[in-house]
Every structure is written in structure tokens, then in C-alpha cells.
Amino acid sequence: MLRGRSLSVTSLSGLPRWQVEELPVEELLLFEVAWEVTNKVGGIYTVIQTKAKTTADEWGDNYFLIGPYFEHNMKTQVEQCEPVNDAVRRAVDAMNKHGCQVHFGRWLIEGSPYVVLFDIGYSAWNLDRWKGDLWEACSVGIPYHDREANDMLIFGSLTAWFLKEVTDHADGKHVIAQFHEWQAGIGLILSRARKLPIATIFTTHATLLGRYLCAANIDFYNHLDKFNIDKEAGERQIYHRYCMERASVHCAHVFTTVSEITAIEAEHMLKRKPDVVTPNGLNVKKFSAVHEFQNLHAMYKARIQDFVRGHFYGHLDFDLEKTLFLFIAGRYEFSNKGADIFLESLSRLNFLLRMHKSEVTVVVFFIMPAKTNNFNVETLKGQAVRKQLWDIAHSVKEKFGKKLYDALLRGEIPDMNNILDRDDITIMKRAIFSTQRQSLPPVTTHNMIDDSTDPILSTIRRIGLFNSRTDRVKVILHPEFLSSTSPLLPMDYEEFVRGCHLGVFPSYYEPWGYTPAECTVMGIPSVTTNLSGFGCFMQEHVADPTAYGIYIVDRRFRSPDDSCNQLTQFLYGFCKQSRRQRIIQRNRTERLSDLLDWRYLGRYYQHARHLTLSRAFPDKFHVELTSPPTTEGFKYPRPSSVPPSPSGSQASSPQSSDVEDEVEDERYDEEEEAERDRLNIKSPFSLSHVPHGKKKLHGEYKN
């Protein structure tokens, strides 16, 4: 039986609450299997990389990650070492002796977890034999031309082989293996087919078919029960992948998803209701100084302003101090990520701002990678012109300053008409002429390969947002991920996010949504939807998300046009806020980061491990089902200092960004509000008393 203090674990609504006991981690080995271990492909990489520290703190040397070997990743991210654990060392040695290449080391991220990496190409000669093994295990065949699925078969076969070697030498320790997504699922299928003594968890971060169907602009969520699953998968030529995913789900002792919206989807697509919802967190680092994140916002906003000065040279007839920076970022999935509805709402926002003769200008960045063949010459020229003007201004300023200084030393007030000589005025006039341009500022920063058919550019042409002088909404497509080494916009993604005012992610298909979560922990308000896991999570745990800078668009129960109008109103309301109101909102947004900390959310993973042990080894571990679920107390209340949303106290038309709301100044006490939030938010798990003299484990504290 499990020994130690009891722990009450509460799942999200719709899933059961369990009474379990603390895991004896010294008697267990935990393996997490994912294609994204040390291999940055998508959001699962962020899940594993940010969760590693919390898991490593709890499990120590009994925690291992399993992934594919890529030489470049190994050289830059992994420090090779010898396994300390005897069972793992024997497994690595045995596989290497039988013609495999297995690499072991520490992943150089926070927590420094151990990683086991398999060289896929080195073992490809076994592919035909392993295809036969998979067919015998679950009657799923893989076409020869699907290279990705073949790679996953090799990876899964090596994983199952490794886990067998580990269990053969485990010396009484029980093994838990968690498999992320269908790419790792074959390892689970083969392990169960071979009856390996391991407790298995399968986690889906998005269903294969769900992503395909949503990309086809189908009313997905309102017709979940009407799809012919086999037919839809076959028509998209992913039937074998779908079968592998579904087999993994049904083979696992415990099945988990990352959000409630994905749980509903999985029940229809994969025909199994998840046992546990495991929300995605982040490794949140709090600043020692409360307002440091506000200082970072100001610093990085100034760098974005520099870029905008260059990009809009010759058309810079708007006040940068009254300009808001909005952005959308992620994979280039035009409809899934909500770029379609965002662009349409920007057109409507532009109309509203022009109609009300607003002084506010909105510059919107689309950070979505697409095929390009280089930087746009006009964009590079803009940054060169900006730098040239900066150098000229500094040169003239130095000469002006020296003459002014000399005159003051002589006790004279200089004649301002003579302090600049003719050459200085000539240089400045030439500089002004150099900023004149015949064309409008470019919409994209790069030369697009598929310019005529690109969805974003095609929509921009249709709605007419061409960055003209009369437009209050300007659009910049940056079809490449941000980098501090870029000659155009030399900023890392995190720096760029901190410098923006609002992240907009009106996704139609978003099982979790790391982009708005990252905005939240950096104190930047964001727009999300009730079809994203993040949006549903915030609706459940925050009484008035809008007051905390989380705008949730209804894309499930409204028509696309109604959703677009709602998004437009959110954006217009944000534009009406004063600078003071935006500062207050950023303070509240940053306080929500406690909700997303792995020190809280990691306990859902702990719950899944308890449950899988009880199902895999019922004679040794037990879990007791208790009362219905409740999240009472685990909720941020509506701030008392404001109406239901900040826009409720604003004027009917946009104000200057430096206008202060004195009434709100009197009502808003940040320290008092923060203290009230701190007392209201509680861990989602009710921890019992820790026996005297026992050291608290990582994460065992009250907020």
C-alpha cells in the first residue's frame, strides 16, 4: 500500500475528486516519452521544458525523459554523462551492444533532468520487422511513403525495447511511463502488447483529426457527434495515424488531456473520456521588485517604437506615445489560430477609430512563419534611413551643444538664429528629403514566395488595410520567428511580448494556448476564446477575466460575425483606456501568473500518476474515490476598485493615452487589491498537515 500523509486531489470540473496518499518516489522510476524532448517542434516542447524543474525537484534521480537523438541538439543542449541508476545503465548498455545508438545525459535546462535519446536513423534497418510487430500488436499498417509515421514506429519500438530492459533490472522498483501525443504512442502500444510491468499514461495535447477538421473551416464543436470518424480520417489520408492515436488512448491505464475543451473533443474523436485533465503551466519567476515588469515593458516598447519609426518613415504622422502595439503569434494556421477573424475585426476597428476621429493609432504585428526568400528591401531601407537620421541629429546636437556651452561660459545668451550654420541646415534639409517616399509603408517585412495566394495578404487586400495615412490601424506581417540577431527587428520573442500592449489570439482550435499564458505571466493583457483550453481555465478560475486583462471571445455559441463584433468591441474598449488604466490592468494580469505556475498545476500530473499506479498495480497501490469535484476558493474575485470591466468607467470615445482617471486613482489601491487576491487564491489541492520534523516537498505551500 502507499504510505505517507494523505493528499486531497481535486480535478477540474466534470472529472472526479480523489483521496490518495503521497507517492514513495524512492520506490518508483518515472519516464516521460515525447518526440519534443530536446527537439523544439511545437507546444509540447514548452510543456516538458517548463515542467522539468518541478518534476525533477520532486523525483530527483528517478526521473528520466525519452526522446529522439539529433546531433545538433545533442551538441548544444545535452551534457553527456553515465547513468547513475543501475537499471537504466544496464538498459542503455544492452541496447548499444545489440546494434542501437542510445545516448544519455543531462538536458541543460532548469532542473537538469536526465534524458535518454535514441538515434532513429541508426536503427532504421529494423523497420520492416517492427512493422510486423505493430501489425501483430494492433493490426495497424503504416504506408511506406509516410516517412514521419515510419520514424515514429522506430522511435516507439526503441522505447518499448528500452522499457523492457529497465523493468528486467528494476530491482523491485515500479515503473511509470507517460507518453505524449501519437508520435510517442507506439511505445505504449508495444509495451502493453508485450505485457511489460509498467504503469502507463497517455496524454493528448490535440487530436489529429480535430486539427485537420478545424483547418477545413468546418463547424467542428457543434457537430462533434455527427462526424463519421473513420471516413474523415481516410479522406485525409491519416487513417493509420488516427488508428495509432486511438490505440494508444485505449491501451493506456490512464488517459489525460490538457484542457476540458480537448476532453470533450477526445471523447468523440477517440472514443474515451479522459480520466484526468492536466492543464499546462509555466515555470513562473516573480520579480523581487513589484514594478520591474512595468519597467521592462517601457524599455522594450521603446525598441519597438524605433522599428516603427523606420518602417513608417515618410508616413510617421501619428504620435508614437499614443500608439498601441498589438500582436498575434504562432503556427501559420490561418483559421485555426483566428487570423481570419482578427483581420476582419481590425477592419471594423479601423472604421470606428476613424469615425470617432481618434488620436490613438494601433500597429498590429503578425508573427507567423511562412515561406520567404529574404527581407523586403524597402523595409531594410527604412531602418537604414532611421539610423541615418539618428546619426545626423546627434551630430548637429553635439555642434549645437558646444556652441551653446561656449556662449554660456562667456556670459552670453546665444543668438538662436546663428547658432546653426548654413551647412547644418543644409544637412537637415537633405535628411528630410531622404525620408520622402512615393509608396506606402510595406505590409510585410519579407518577400513572400506565395504572395498572391497567401491568406493574410489576400485578406489585407480585400479589407484594404494598406497602411495609408488615414488608417488608424496599421498592419505589419513578420513571416519569421523573432530573433535578437535579426538585422530588422533585433528582439527575442519574450522581449517583444513585454514591449507590446495586447496579445490577440482568437483561435478556433487551441487545445491549450501557450501564447496567451506567456503574455499573462509577463503582465501583458491578451485576447483568447472559449474554444481554447487557456480561455476555459480562466473562465473557471477568474470571476471577471476582462478586469484582469483576459478578454475571452465567444466562438462556440455565437456566429462568426457576432464573434468578430465582440472581438472588435474588446479591441475598441482597449483603445479607449487611459495610460493609467492600462498600467492598473497590467498589474492585475501579472498577478494571475500564480494560477499558471507548475508548482500548482504539476499536482494534476501527480494525481494522474497516483491513479495509473492504482490501476496497473492494484495489489500494491490504492486510490479511494470521494466527494464530487469542487473548485470553491480557487478563484480570483472581481476587483472591488472597478466596474465589471475597465471600459465601463471610460468615456464614449478614445482618450489620449496620458489622460488620467482621477476617480479611479482614488478607488484603486494596488497593495490592498493584491493582498485580497493573495488571500482568495488557494492551491487547487487541499494539503493536510505535514508531520512535525518532515521537510516540505517542492510546491507544498499556501499562497
Side-chain angles (χ1 to χ4, degrees), residues 25-241:
V25 295
E26 66 280 355
E27 300 173 16
L28 303 167
L29 295 175
L30 173 62
F31 295 89
E32 276 198 74
V33 188
W35 186 255
E36 284 82 358
V37 171
T38 76
N39 180 36
K40 191 168 186 177
V41 178
I44 302 173
Y45 175 91
T46 306
V47 175
I48 293 167
Q49 186 241 353
T50 56
K51 186 169 63 68
K53 180 173 175 14
T54 303
T55 313
D57 285 351
E58 181 183 354
W59 287 77
D61 288 345
N62 290 347
Y63 174 53
F64 306 87
L65 291 160
I66 298 176
Y69 167 82
F70 295 101
E71 185 177 5
H72 174 71
N73 294 342
M74 185 76 183
K75 286 181 177 178
T76 56
Q77 299 185 50
V78 180
E79 178 186 18
Q80 283 193 283
C81 63
E82 287 297 316
V84 175
N85 183 278
D86 184 61
V88 172
R89 180 180 54 78
R90 289 190 180 191
V92 171
D93 290 344
M95 291 183 69
N96 283 334
K97 285 177 183 175
H98 285 85
C100 302
Q101 272 202 359
V102 183
H103 302 263
F104 187 87
R106 282 194 179 273
W107 191 2
L108 299 179
I109 57 173
E110 274 200 279
S112 300
Y114 289 123
V115 290
V116 181
L117 304 176
F118 302 129
D119 190 327
I120 306 301
Y122 202 81
S123 300
W125 57 276
N126 279 311
L127 180 60
D128 288 339
R129 178 164 63 88
W130 286 337
K131 280 189 176 183
D133 291 345
L134 181 66
W135 179 262
E136 289 181 10
C138 60
S139 301
V140 174
I142 300 177
Y144 73 92
H145 57 77
D146 189 344
R147 182 172 178 178
E148 184 182 3
N150 286 326
D151 284 349
M152 300 313 157
L153 173 59
I154 298 169
F155 176 55
S157 300
L158 290 169
T159 301
W161 184 357
F162 176 79
L163 291 174
K164 181 185 185 308
E165 295 290 343
V166 169
T167 54
D168 286 348
H169 305 96
D171 195 23
K173 289 189 176 183
H174 293 87
V175 175
I176 305 175
Q178 180 165 8
F179 300 81
H180 292 270
E181 282 291 337
W182 73 273
Q183 290 97 328
I186 291 178
L188 189 157
I189 297 168
L190 295 175
S191 296
R192 293 305 306 277
R194 295 165 186 172
K195 296 182 170 52
L196 299 186
I198 61 175
T200 57
I201 306 170
F202 183 76
T203 299
T204 185
H205 299 255
T207 69
L208 263 172
L209 195 53
R211 192 178 292 280
Y212 274 86
L213 289 170
C214 287
N217 291 321
I218 290 174
D219 186 6
F220 179 67
Y221 291 98
N222 291 321
H223 296 87
L224 276 173
D225 56 342
K226 298 179 177 65
F227 289 114
N228 183 332
I229 305 299
D230 293 334
K231 175 177 176 290
E232 298 288 353
E235 287 180 351
R236 288 160 178 78
Q237 299 183 10
I238 57 165
Y239 185 69
H240 57 289
R241 295 188 182 193

Side-chain angles (χ1 to χ4, degrees), residues 502 520 524-530 534-553 570 577 584-586 588-590 592 595 635-639 642-646:
L502 181 71
T520 302
I524 302 300
S526 62
V527 175
T528 183
T529 72
N530 61 351
F534 173 82
C536 295
F537 184 81
M538 284 298 169
Q539 277 184 322
E540 183 177 1
H541 296 298
V542 182
D544 184 5
T546 304
Y548 283 89
I550 308 296
Y551 299 88
I552 301 174
V553 177
F570 283 153
Q577 291 185 32
I584 291 171
Q585 192 175 58
R586 282 197 296 272
R588 293 186 184 132
T589 302
E590 197 268 346
L592 291 183
L595 279 173
K635 198 173 184 102
Y636 276 77
R638 181 174 67 83
V642 291
S645 68

Side-chain angles (χ1 to χ4, degrees), residues 479-664:
E480 195 175 76
F481 285 131
L482 296 166
S483 168
S484 58
T485 59
S486 169
L488 195 63
L489 185 56
M491 300 178 75
D492 287 331
Y493 178 71
E494 181 179 332
E495 297 171 344
F496 176 79
V497 171
R498 287 192 183 278
C500 288
H501 295 92
L502 181 71
V504 185
F505 315 102
S507 305
Y508 185 78
Y509 187 77
E510 194 72 79
W512 175 246
Y514 257 120
T515 41
E518 288 166 341
C519 285
T520 302
V521 301
M522 288 187 253
I524 302 300
S526 62
V527 175
T528 183
T529 72
N530 61 351
L531 290 181
S532 78
F534 173 82
C536 295
F537 184 81
M538 284 298 169
Q539 277 184 322
E540 183 177 1
H541 296 298
V542 182
D544 184 5
T546 304
Y548 283 89
I550 308 296
Y551 299 88
I552 301 174
V553 177
D554 183 359
R555 295 206 64 183
R556 188 172 184 188
F557 304 110
R558 294 192 184 200
S559 69
D561 189 61
D562 286 344
S563 298
C564 188
N565 283 333
Q566 185 185 21
L567 175 57
T568 305
Q569 288 304 313
F570 283 153
L571 298 180
Y572 184 60
F574 189 81
C575 291
K576 292 197 296 184
Q577 291 185 32
S578 68
R579 181 172 177 272
R580 170 68 174 167
Q581 288 169 324
R582 292 199 303 271
I583 290 173
I584 291 171
Q585 192 175 58
R586 282 197 296 272
N587 285 334
R588 293 186 184 132
T589 302
E590 197 268 346
R591 288 206 299 273
L592 291 183
S593 59
D594 283 340
L595 279 173
L596 302 171
D597 199 324
W598 275 123
R599 288 176 294 179
Y600 291 109
L601 300 183
R603 292 302 183 104
Y604 289 107
Y605 276 83
Q606 189 186 61
H607 170 39
R609 293 169 198 140
H610 280 286
L611 190 56
T612 193
L613 280 171
S614 71
R615 291 182 178 177
F617 309 110
D619 55 329
K620 294 184 179 294
F621 302 95
H622 74 277
V623 172
E624 227 177 278
L625 183 62
T626 60
S627 58
T630 175
T631 54
E632 187 178 350
F634 184 41
K635 198 173 184 102
Y636 276 77
R638 181 174 67 83
S640 58
S641 63
V642 291
S645 68
S647 60
S649 62
Q650 295 157 6
S652 60
S653 61
Q655 307 173 39
S656 165
S657 63
D658 57 358
V659 172
E660 304 294 343
D661 187 347
E662 293 182 4
V663 176
E664 185 170 340

